[in-house]
Amino acid sequence: MALIEVKNLKYSYDQKKPAVDDVSFEIEKGLYYTIIGHNGSGKSTIAKLIAGLLEKESGEIIIDGMPLDRENLYKIRSKIGIVFQNPDNQFIGSTVQDDIAFGLENHCVPQEEMDDIINTFAEKVGMTKYLHSEPTHLSGGQKQRVAIAGVLAMHPQILIFDEATSMLDPQGKAEIKKVIMDLHENSGLTILSITHDIDEVVTSDKVMVLYEGKIAMFDTPEEIFKDEKTLVKLRLDVPYCLKFANELKKYGVDPGHEITTEGLVEKLWQSSLKK
Amino acid sequence: MAIKFEKVSHVYSDGTPYRYVALADVDLELTEGKMTAIIGQTGSGKSTLVQHLNALLLPTSGKLTVLDKVIEAGKEQKGLKALRGQVGLVFQFPEYQLFEETVLKDVAFGPKNFGLKEEEANEKARQAMAMVGLGKEYEERSPLEMSGGQKRRTAIAGILAMDPKVLVLDEPTAGLDPAGTKSMMELFRKLNKEYGKTVLIVTHDMEQVFAYCDEVVVVENGKIRVHTTVEDFFRDSTECRKMGVLPPALITLKEMLRDKGFKVPEGNLNIKELAKIIAGQVKKHG
Amino acid sequence: MGNFTLGRYIPMDSPIHKMDPRAKICAMLLVLIAVFMPAGWLGYGIIFAVVAGVILCAKLSFRYILKSMKPMMFMMLFLLVINCLVMKTGTPLFTIGSFVIYSDAITQTLYIVVRLLLMIMITTCLTATTKPLEMTLGIEDLLKPFEKIHVPSHEIAMLISIALRFIPDLIDETTRIMKAQESRGVDLKEGKFTEKIMAILSLVVPLFVSAFQRAEDLANAMEARGYAPGEKRTRYKVLKMHKRDWILLCGAFALLAAMIVLAYFR
């Protein structure tokens, strides 16, 4: 059974046009999904609907066998952790340790157990040295790592990153991507990452492409990137190595369908040896 | 020379325990009519540098020449407001500076501040809106009801309406999707090439620097570490690695090919030329 | 903003800094009441000595406290003038022109000035030695008993701590928007009245828009992490009363008692 089942989901902010328009999909346990699409395609709205932060207009959301409704709201929220875009606006506590503790306090974790939990998760994201630091003294990447620790401390099954790297500098982006990769490989969590970063998309198990509130494609990155023309129509980027492969084809060399630069160069090298 | 820094320093909170040197004896000459990228890590001093260009910040020591205005530390300054009209500074996430009821009014706000009459200001505003690709139908809309990309265009039009000679943009594509980023960068290229504006862009994205800019300035610890042409800067990935940023994909590709033993000539090959050479080498062995 | 010292936390390593905020808040209230006992100069002398002792203990500088008095100077001067004009009791001291100044005018003003000085010293002892977060924890605990009459003690504390958390961010945001509008030719210092109004609008409207965005983001982040107003929750930072805290409280009680005796039973 799928971990998340979404059926005919619909949501509108205003009368003009639905932000999420009759969307259905399933999310399998333990996989790493990326969600891409132009600004305003409905990515964040879907994330907020799944996390129960917006109330659906119509349709169905079933999480871990439980329908998401008012009755189950809190139970379902505790299964889902979400890291938002703006590092400042989700830092609630006055220091790193208070911020990680915030979720624990809400879940009525006994006070004696908190320090251990805080230390464990601060270590997971490499913030042990900063437990007493105030947010004004942290970089954007550090604040996002604290947000991740705060969410992980609540033991969610599903982790959603809502453009969590888009406001960070290159160092911050790299830090957060590393944490996400590490979680994917070692935690068994189901990860949904909304992103514009094509390199991150390539590393995910499955990609959901949204366009004007509807799902345009939903497949593995290999399959998604086969259809370049459609991607451009959907206002999206393609990996650079595909652009290069297309140029090579014009000169009679077909390196096959490789979506990473490493893979492409390796293929070219082998075919130059073989012949 | 349009913009010249001579031994310019900027020290925050001098004489307190919080003293912080943001710029240290900076010497820099920026070429008129070019598109220049200003890059550097967070806290390197690039924001401080940029805010000197329209005299939001004044040097605490040294001398700065911007267009025909000379600003020397310690001397009383007059006519700074006029300079702000000539050097248009667009802050990061500029959509947060919109406040008027309609797009036209907001875009015309700048020129009005510089003493233009309502009608003249509106005329300037209409021209600026056309430059950024906002048609007449947007004039009476509320800026708050527009999409993120349109809001940003409105804010940039608000600066262009002052008819500046120099346009300075602090991370103008932050938060935009790939298509939005591309059309935004193309807008700046058009402003540079067609309208003759000197464009300075603060950015972290090497792909943008590589594809759109003429020159690169690297700020590091309050100093200018490198000022060179884009071709020179991206001869290899050394400079990018020094700064801890991803080099442009083409440069990475060239280096990987070289590492595998392909012969990739030096110089500025574009993707098509590179494909031709590599295709030749793959086939030759066959 | 840099010269505004009243009410700021000053990080120091002192026994007073380590005390329980609840004890400090209660002690402060008791001593403030003591100041309002009509105990005469002897009483004020005792309170001053005690408070000065605490200030020394907390390693705070008197210069700093005097500095925080500065904004009050004008008010005190104003009081003196009013008193001189109105009070016509006591012995005549001297005349300015045909105007007689009486002794009570001076003593009454002095009383008020001394009280004000003491009050500032006492509150500074609390605010300068207590972190904002500890203060909110203390207030929350002290308001707990009033929950029975529907005082939402936890919500009040949460409100204060979030406000404190976002003040630096909002100050940054204000500077940023000011600079952005200055870049559009806004002159916040000069200009005609109508221009000034526009200048202020150009600052206030964006500030509101961004504050609302922040509030929405924050509400989402809090909800997503399981926060529900009014629901039961545990607390990470727990306050504990030590011996020194009880001593402080007893001391404050003793001081108040002494003032009552001095004022009414002499």
Side-chain angles (χ1 to χ4, degrees):
Chain A
M1 191 186 63
L3 183 59
I4 303 177
E5 270 180 83
V6 171
K7 287 179 204 157
N8 306 101
L9 184 63
K10 204 168 168 183
Y11 184 85
S12 322
Y13 289 101
D14 48 40
Q15 267 93 47
K16 277 183 239 156
K17 204 170 70 180
V20 173
D21 192 2
D22 197 22
V23 162
S24 305
F25 60 91
E26 288 186 0
I27 298 290
E28 302 293 330
K29 204 177 151 108
L31 294 186
Y32 172 22
Y33 293 82
T34 44
I35 304 177
I36 55 176
H38 60 90
N39 286 349
S41 59
K43 304 175 303 256
S44 288
T45 310
I46 289 188
K48 288 194 181 114
L49 285 165
I50 293 175
L53 294 172
L54 289 175
E55 204 173 344
K56 63 182 188 238
E57 214 168 277
S58 61
E60 233 183 315
I61 302 172
I62 300 163
I63 292 169
D64 205 9
M66 220 188 276
L68 173 59
D69 51 28
R70 286 204 182 156
E71 208 177 309
N72 291 328
L73 185 61
Y74 287 97
K75 262 189 223 159
I76 283 180
R77 267 194 198 149
S78 69
K79 292 176 192 286
I80 299 174
I82 175 161
V83 179
F84 298 92
Q85 184 177 25
N86 190 316
D88 289 306
N89 296 355
Q90 59 183 315
F91 203 109
I92 301 151
S94 52
T95 65
V96 169
Q97 57 176 358
D98 290 302
D99 192 60
I100 301 176
F102 180 77
L104 302 175
E105 294 175 322
N106 296 333
H107 285 204
C108 291
V109 172
Q111 195 264 338
E112 315 79 74
E113 296 168 21
M114 285 191 192
D115 266 319
D116 276 346
I117 303 174
I118 291 169
N119 288 333
T120 313
F121 290 98
E123 204 187 321
K124 271 216 166 108
V125 297
M127 288 296 289
T128 315
K129 264 195 282 176
Y130 301 93
L131 279 179
H132 299 281
S133 296
E134 290 172 21
T136 40
H137 300 131
L138 300 174
S139 71
Q142 288 173 327
K143 281 179 228 176
Q144 289 302 65
R145 281 191 272 158
V146 175
I148 296 173
V151 161
L152 286 178
M154 291 150 61
H155 297 289
Q157 298 180 23
I158 302 155
L159 202 50
I160 302 176
F161 294 93
D162 187 358
E163 293 195 41
T165 62
S166 75
M167 287 179 78
L168 305 179
D169 61 11
Q171 284 74 26
K173 282 195 170 90
E175 281 168 33
I176 300 306
K177 270 157 76 179
K178 203 170 147 259
V179 173
I180 296 178
M181 279 317 288
D182 182 54
L183 286 170
H184 171 51
E185 277 156 22
N186 303 319
S187 70
L189 280 170
T190 308
I191 296 175
L192 273 68
S193 176
I194 297 170
T195 183
H196 287 308
D197 186 334
I198 215 78
D199 294 329
E200 189 191 338
V201 174
V202 169
T203 58
S204 64
D205 296 317
K206 262 186 137 184
V207 189
M208 183 188 292
V209 183
L210 291 172
Y211 186 75
E212 294 190 345
K214 288 179 187 294
I215 296 181
M217 296 189 219
F218 191 25
D219 216 321
T220 59
E222 284 80 11
E223 288 303 314
I224 295 277
F225 290 127
K226 265 183 189 157
D227 195 356
E228 269 172 72
K229 282 207 184 87
T230 315
L231 281 173
V232 173
K233 236 184 269 160
L234 302 175
R235 302 187 55 187
L236 293 162
D237 235 356
V238 287
Y240 194 80
C241 56
L242 287 182
K243 292 181 194 163
F244 186 61
N246 283 341
E247 293 298 330
L248 284 172
K249 278 178 207 158
K250 290 183 193 157
Y251 296 100
V253 173
D254 187 359
H257 188 62
E258 289 292 336
I259 57 169
T260 64
T261 309
E262 288 87 347
L264 175 72
V265 172
E266 183 69 33
K267 244 323 186 359
L268 285 173
W269 180 64
Q270 279 169 6
S271 56
S272 75
L273 290 181
K274 241 186 274 165
K275 293 176 189 171
Chain B
M1 200 53 72
I3 296 167
K4 191 170 178 184
F5 287 73
E6 289 166 86
K7 294 247 168 289
V8 170
S9 296
H10 192 94
V11 182
Y12 289 104
S13 314
D14 202 7
T16 75
Y18 303 105
R19 185 176 190 271
Y20 178 70
V21 183
L23 292 181
D25 283 338
V26 165
D27 287 310
L28 178 65
E29 278 189 39
L30 295 169
T31 326
E32 214 168 339
K34 298 261 170 163
M35 204 154 152
T36 304
I38 297 175
I39 57 182
Q41 296 192 347
T42 309
S44 60
K46 56 184 192 315
S47 296
T48 308
L49 181 85
V50 159
Q51 287 177 34
H52 277 78
L53 295 171
N54 74 344
L56 278 180
L57 294 175
L58 299 173
T60 49
S61 72
K63 184 177 152 192
L64 170 63
T65 315
V66 184
L67 302 172
D68 49 4
K69 181 95 197 121
V70 180
I71 303 168
E72 255 181 287
K75 292 205 178 153
E76 205 189 321
Q77 306 300 335
K78 274 186 189 153
L80 294 183
K81 191 172 162 180
L83 184 60
R84 292 198 182 137
Q86 293 176 316
V87 180
L89 178 53
V90 180
F91 276 81
Q92 204 180 355
F93 299 109
E95 50 273 29
Y96 278 114
Q97 70 198 33
L98 304 175
F99 74 102
E100 279 280 19
E101 300 147 72
T102 69
V103 170
L104 185 69
K105 272 190 185 172
D106 207 294
V107 177
F109 179 62
K112 265 190 237 160
N113 285 328
F114 285 98
L116 286 195
K117 297 230 167 54
E118 180 99 21
E119 254 326 295
E120 294 168 319
N122 284 349
E123 194 41 48
K124 288 272 177 206
R126 288 197 182 96
Q127 288 168 10
M129 282 176 64
M131 276 189 218
V132 301
L134 288 173
K136 274 207 176 313
E137 66 273 24
Y138 289 98
E139 281 179 11
E140 295 307 314
R141 287 238 202 129
S142 159
L144 299 181
E145 284 165 10
M146 302 207 291
S147 77
Q150 289 169 340
K151 274 187 201 168
R152 192 163 297 184
R153 277 167 192 272
T154 306
I156 293 172
I159 299 292
L160 287 173
M162 306 188 300
D163 207 5
K165 293 197 177 79
V166 181
L167 187 63
V168 187
L169 303 130
D170 190 358
E171 294 196 45
T173 62
L176 296 182
D177 62 23
T181 300
K182 197 168 171 230
S183 71
M184 196 60 86
M185 289 309 293
E186 257 144 35
L187 166 66
F188 303 143
R189 175 184 274 165
K190 190 177 92 180
L191 292 172
N192 176 246
K193 297 278 173 312
E194 282 175 36
Y195 296 89
K197 314 262 181 215
T198 303
V199 177
L200 297 171
I201 297 183
V202 176
T203 182
H204 287 303
D205 188 335
M206 293 306 122
E207 223 61 78
Q208 286 173 8
V209 179
F210 189 56
Y212 294 95
C213 295
D214 306 308
E215 292 186 3
V216 185
V217 172
V218 178
V219 189
E220 197 176 276
N221 296 325
K223 291 187 187 296
I224 307 297
R225 196 169 59 74
V226 180
H227 179 197
T228 181
T229 60
V230 163
E231 291 88 64
D232 258 359
F233 189 78
F234 292 114
R235 206 157 289 273
D236 51 43
S237 65
T238 331
E239 282 298 335
C240 294
R241 308 230 181 265
K242 260 189 214 165
M243 294 179 57
V245 295
L246 282 178
L250 180 61
I251 306 299
T252 314
L253 176 64
K254 279 185 190 172
E255 294 200 331
M256 280 187 182
L257 287 166
R258 256 187 218 129
D259 288 347
K260 276 285 177 201
F262 287 99
K263 286 186 201 72
V264 182
E266 297 285 334
N268 297 290
L269 296 175
N270 62 30
I271 185 168
K272 290 193 164 75
E273 292 158 346
L274 182 67
K276 190 177 174 188
I277 292 169
I278 298 300
Q281 291 179 26
V282 171
K283 283 195 278 189
K284 198 171 74 187
H285 288 275
Chain C
M1 295 295 277
N3 292 321
F4 195 75
T5 47
L6 194 66
R8 262 216 210 149
Y9 173 67
I10 312 213
M12 282 281 177
D13 185 29
S14 87
I16 309 287
H17 282 74
K18 287 190 193 103
M19 281 183 180
D20 191 305
R22 293 169 298 181
K24 282 194 270 188
I25 294 171
C26 291
M28 178 195 77
L29 291 174
L30 289 170
V31 180
L32 279 181
I33 298 170
V35 170
F36 281 93
M37 292 295 139
W41 289 114
L42 175 65
Y44 291 148
I46 295 171
I47 297 177
F48 183 83
V50 171
V51 176
V54 173
I55 290 175
L56 281 178
C57 251
K59 299 180 185 169
L60 299 172
S61 84
F62 282 94
R63 257 212 7 239
Y64 168 78
I65 292 173
L66 280 180
K67 224 170 123 192
S68 59
M69 294 279 291
K70 250 191 195 157
M72 310 278 174
M73 281 308 202
F74 178 75
M75 207 177 96
M76 291 179 191
L77 221 73
F78 182 70
L79 252 163
L80 182 69
V81 173
I82 293 285
N83 273 345
C84 287
L85 287 176
V86 178
M87 291 243 173
K88 299 289 174 203
T89 51
T91 47
L93 287 179
F94 51 89
T95 52
I96 303 168
S98 62
F99 196 80
V100 190
I101 299 209
Y102 291 87
S103 61
D104 277 9
I106 304 292
T107 43
Q108 279 304 317
T109 312
L110 269 180
Y111 268 127
I112 295 174
V113 169
V114 168
R115 274 182 188 169
L116 216 60
L117 174 71
L118 283 173
M119 279 162 64
I120 289 176
M121 282 168 68
I122 294 160
T123 43
T124 306
C125 278
L126 173 73
T127 54
T129 65
T130 315
K131 278 188 201 152
L133 174 74
E134 288 184 347
M135 193 87 86
T136 40
L137 289 177
I139 293 172
E140 183 180 352
D141 277 6
L142 291 171
L143 287 177
K144 264 264 150 62
F146 298 101
E147 262 175 11
K148 289 204 184 80
I149 52 164
H150 304 292
V151 175
S153 67
H154 167 70
E155 280 75 10
I156 292 173
M158 183 61 85
L159 213 70
I160 300 174
S161 72
I162 284 178
L164 289 172
R165 152 75 186 88
F166 280 97
I167 283 171
D169 286 14
L170 285 173
I171 291 175
D172 282 354
E173 184 79 22
T174 312
T175 333
R176 225 178 58 90
I177 295 171
M178 265 167 78
K179 280 184 171 174
Q181 303 299 26
E182 276 181 72
S183 299
R184 294 214 273 168
V186 167
D187 200 332
L188 289 162
K189 291 179 198 105
E190 286 159 41
K192 282 177 283 178
F193 180 70
T194 46
E195 284 170 4
K196 275 221 164 113
I197 299 248
M198 278 310 268
I200 292 169
L201 267 182
S202 76
L203 180 63
V204 172
V205 174
L207 202 56
F208 263 91
V209 172
S210 98
F212 276 114
Q213 180 63 51
R214 245 175 232 282
E216 198 189 318
D217 284 0
L218 185 71
N220 272 332
M222 289 173 72
E223 259 190 71
R225 285 208 247 161
Y227 183 75
E231 291 290 309
K232 202 171 156 288
R233 62 201 293 270
T234 49
R235 207 163 84 180
Y236 174 50
K237 289 268 164 70
V238 176
L239 300 172
K240 225 173 164 181
M241 291 283 278
H242 292 96
K243 208 162 109 194
R244 54 168 185 250
D245 302 312
W246 292 113
I247 293 173
L248 178 75
L249 267 184
C250 293
F253 262 116
L255 193 65
L256 178 58
M259 290 307 119
I260 292 171
V261 170
L262 271 179
Y264 301 109
F265 300 98
R266 207 153 46 144

